[in-house]
Amino acid sequence: RCFLPASAVSPPPLFSHSLFPHAQSDSGRPVIQLRLVGEKRKHYEGRVEVLYNGEWGTVCDDDFSISAAHVVCRELGFVDAESWSPSAKYGRGEGRIWLDNVHCSGSEKSLAHCSSNGFGVSDCKHSEDVGVVCSQKRIPGFKFIRSQANSDQVEDVRIRATYSQRKRIPITEGFLEVKDGGKWRQICSVDWTEMNSRVICGMYGFPGEKRFNTRPYKLLAKRRKKNFWGFSVNCTGNEANLSECKVGQEIELKGNDTCGQGMPVVVSCVPGRAFAPSVSMGFRKAYRVEQPLVRLRGGAMIGEGRVEVLKNGEWGTVCDDNWDMRAATVVCRELGFGSAKEALTGARMGQGIGPVQMNEVDCSGFEKSLTECRFNREALGCSHEEDAAVRCNVPAMGFNKRLRLAGGRNPYEGRVEVLTERNGSLVWGTVCSDSWGTMEAMVVCRQLGLGFASHAFQETYYWQGDSSADAIVMSGVRCSGTELTLDQCLHHGKHILCPKGGGRFSAGVSCTQTAPDLVLSSQVVEQTTYLEDRPMYALQCAHEEHCLASSANQADPTSYRRLLRFSSQIHNNGQSDFRPRAAHHSWVWHECHRHYHSMEVFTHYDLLSLNGTKVAEGHKASFCLEDTHCDEGIQKRYECANFGAQGITVGCWDTYRHDIDCQWVDITDVKPGDYIFQVVINPNYEVAESDYTNNIMKCRARYDGHRIWMYNCHIGENATMSLCLQTSEQKS
């Protein structure tokens, strides 16, 4: 085996993109190896570096093209390239600049086959180092060749559970094996460290490693034929993936006598709380996190989302300046997932609200919480367009094997069919559509890894599923939306109750990768609130649309109603347009106001006592939806006039001025005192959103019988925490 001496070059990383593929030299061309390094956020991007004559160097961006990027990515085992970046985007390299003026057609097998000035012939500086972003898709069967002699190949890695543990989900413990030359091989435990186990556990979706009883594994290893891999592994422990670890010492292979002082490596991991088979062995036992300080919002899949941090009783976001895989991995492990798959920037999971709590985060990778990392407390120049997000490794729970969609036109829609046990055997069946709605559909789409729910269907006669699965096996399903699987939702269990029956009334869903996210501007509400006394004869249209308190039904036409008026400005901070569920033909025409209502229940307005009792009847507002204003560079798409399309575009907002009908709460019957004013957008979850927790706004209100003061308005959970603190202070 040809290995470069340690003095000549640092040891190569193990597995994945940095297990350098061997460039064949069948025509006298130079043999090179490639890697992606630098200040990167994903394993499939980075500065391109070339190993030539035992020395790593960079590639100049002069004449570089997407064709050259395709060659680089394919040589590294990716299907192709998505883009390339000039001017040292991933940081400046060191040492030689091996290649300059590279010209590729895109069909070359190696970057060494492309024309250039020749190795080492360059007039560039490291400020011109080129980088690439490769496709996430791997070339099927691609082999990662570690040595220049082309004698050792590592293709995959797995935790192989013992017979007694194979039925446990998730598999948290077992022999570690690598696939080398088409065969699974063990690793000798002599030089194995806890840091290595930590990296393996992170890859498989577990936040940490733990000790285990070695005795049964030693007994089992003695009875098995040994087939060791010829090298040890050296991880520092803060790698997000085994691909970043180094190859250690070579091990002499002597058949069953190999690794005489040790045994095959066994890895034992601690599952996160949400994935633990029991509370006793779960993440809670290891970390005892009571009040979460970090959370994920806006993600479509389990283990992904916008990073939000709790500081001084208020949730806020993290600026993406210097956001990297180490910081993302700290977040993932803190929340009970494994290491990070991606550190996302540019509000890829939607824009948050509230303050930007952290900027220029710098983590070592070993912190228990993101709040322990160093960061810049000044967030000057950071906006919610720069909110950081993560995608984490999660355990293989097999959730998607217990559920399926049948009969749809594409894999993202269909009748929901559930795998359940009946009379000792597993059978597929349907779900009763009574009470079936968006929250239930959200759980189904997440469980299947299909993203957000687009629609929830209570009739599915147009989707012909498997006739053997027509029977209803699940009824009374009620989900909060946070469940990982449908069977975690409330339901009737084995006692099925479905008055409508199955068949055409089976539940169905359609899923989508992106969703809108509506957020009300609390500042606008606070600044525009006032009281108006208006005569009943001027409120005829509003009365017809049930915008007044019930006492107005017996009111004299000459009497006055006291109206709490305000403006509302509703932003779409999500990743897709907010569209009403109902199609044009089913919109309701209101003759008095002379416009169509695409959603009969879009917003609730309520005045509550301090203990939460409703004191003024909430107006169930029904509006037309349109783009009133948009952020710079975004075109308006929706307008109510002339029966136009209704909706709210991403980056736009719909404003309902304080002086239009029904933009109020009727407080004629309310006595002076302290109250809570509450606004809830999309209260019936009629349209799917990426985050419902920010759909509620609460303000403190003081009414003296003549005037009203609105103050301390907050959105989402910040509203609840703020009001709880104020109420407790008043009582004390």
Side-chain angles (χ1 to χ4, degrees), residues 351-363:
Q351 295 183 30
I353 56 175
V356 178
Q357 304 280 35
M358 302 175 77
N359 183 26
E360 297 177 356
V361 177
D362 181 18
C363 302

Side-chain angles (χ1 to χ4, degrees), residues 375-682:
F375 64 95
N376 185 350
R377 298 179 186 276
E378 296 294 329
L380 295 175
C382 284
S383 69
H384 287 301
E385 294 177 355
E386 300 170 85
D387 285 345
V390 297
R391 285 196 177 103
C392 306
N393 286 310
V394 297
M397 301 294 292
F399 288 154
N400 57 346
K401 296 177 182 177
R402 305 182 216 164
L403 202 65
R404 68 187 184 190
L405 302 183
R409 296 163 296 179
N410 58 62
Y412 285 83
E413 67 176 21
R415 183 176 78 174
V416 178
E417 295 182 357
V418 180
L419 186 64
T420 188
E421 187 176 336
R422 285 289 182 271
N423 301 322
S425 59
L426 292 173
V427 297
W428 287 97
T430 55
V431 179
C432 181
S433 66
D434 282 357
S435 74
W436 186 258
T438 302
M439 284 302 192
E440 291 70 37
M442 280 286 199
V443 174
V444 167
C445 293
R446 185 187 302 118
Q447 182 175 349
L448 290 170
L450 298 178
F452 300 106
S454 176
H455 290 97
F457 299 94
Q458 294 191 342
E459 292 188 29
T460 53
Y461 60 88
Y462 34 80
W463 287 331
Q464 293 300 315
D466 188 339
S467 59
S468 64
D470 282 345
I472 294 286
V473 297
M474 199 173 191
S475 65
V477 181
R478 290 288 180 91
C479 304
S480 68
T482 60
E483 297 86 354
L484 300 181
T485 64
L486 197 63
D487 57 13
Q488 290 178 1
C489 301
L490 292 172
H491 58 92
H492 290 155
K494 295 182 180 180
H495 306 286
I496 305 301
L497 178 62
C498 190
K500 291 194 296 189
R504 63 175 292 175
F505 295 109
S506 299
V509 301
S510 63
C511 306
T512 178
Q513 290 295 305
T514 58
D517 183 21
L518 298 187
V519 180
L520 181 71
S521 171
S522 57
Q523 186 178 11
V524 170
V525 172
E526 198 166 330
Q527 292 174 349
T528 58
T529 304
Y530 65 97
L531 296 180
E532 181 193 13
D533 290 339
R534 196 169 178 84
M536 272 298 296
Y537 63 76
L539 295 169
Q540 181 181 351
C541 286
H543 197 193
E544 285 182 15
E545 293 191 18
H546 310 291
C547 295
L548 301 176
S550 57
S551 61
N553 296 333
Q554 291 79 40
D556 187 280
T558 60
S559 63
Y560 281 74
R561 307 299 297 182
R562 176 154 291 180
L563 308 176
L564 170 59
R565 282 188 174 275
F566 58 94
S567 296
S568 66
Q569 191 180 87
I570 299 169
H571 296 245
N572 183 359
N573 286 353
Q575 296 175 285
S576 64
D577 295 353
F578 184 94
R579 299 296 309 278
R581 180 181 176 186
H584 268 70
H585 66 273
S586 59
W587 292 358
V588 178
W589 174 257
H590 284 259
E591 182 64 32
C592 200
H593 283 134
R594 300 199 62 78
H595 60 220
Y596 283 95
H597 287 178
S598 58
M599 291 179 67
E600 281 301 314
V601 182
F602 178 54
T603 314
H604 283 178
Y605 303 144
D606 294 304
L607 197 66
L608 313 172
S609 67
L610 295 184
N611 65 10
T613 305
K614 188 184 297 184
V615 296
E617 293 185 24
H619 163 52
K620 295 179 174 60
S622 52
F623 299 121
C624 70
L625 299 169
E626 64 180 0
D627 296 328
T628 310
H629 298 285
C630 295
D631 292 333
E632 187 177 350
I634 297 176
Q635 294 290 323
K636 296 179 183 179
R637 299 180 60 185
Y638 304 107
E639 189 176 7
C640 292
N642 301 318
F643 198 38
Q646 293 194 19
I648 307 176
T649 305
V650 175
C652 298
W653 56 92
D654 192 3
T655 302
Y656 301 100
R657 285 175 51 88
H658 55 82
D659 53 2
I660 66 173
D661 260 9
C662 297
Q663 189 59 33
W664 62 58
V665 173
D666 182 355
I667 64 167
T668 306
D669 307 319
V670 174
K671 297 177 181 179
D674 288 308
Y675 297 96
I676 297 169
F677 178 57
Q678 176 177 282
V679 178
V680 184
I681 308 169
N682 193 16

Side-chain angles (χ1 to χ4, degrees), residues 20 51 53 83 89 108 144 192 194 239 281 283 354 398 423 441 448 472 540 554 599 616 699 711:
F20 315 115
L51 179 64
N53 278 351
S83 62
K89 176 185 175 182
E108 293 87 352
F144 303 99
W192 190 260
E194 287 186 5
E239 296 90 348
M281 73 167 293
F283 183 74
N423 301 322
L448 290 170
I472 294 286
Q540 181 181 351
Q554 291 79 40
M599 291 179 67
C699 304
Y711 59 99

Side-chain angles (χ1 to χ4, degrees), residues 194-228:
E194 287 186 5
M195 294 297 100
N196 294 351
S197 295
R198 171 182 166 86
V199 174
I200 293 289
C201 290
M203 284 177 60
Y204 279 91
F206 303 114
E209 76 290 344
K210 64 181 177 68
R211 297 183 181 277
F212 59 94
N213 184 2
T214 60
R215 187 177 179 186
Y217 287 102
K218 285 182 178 178
L219 294 173
L220 197 58
K222 284 181 180 179
R223 296 199 298 266
R224 284 184 174 176
K225 183 180 178 182
K226 297 180 179 63
N227 186 14
F228 282 99

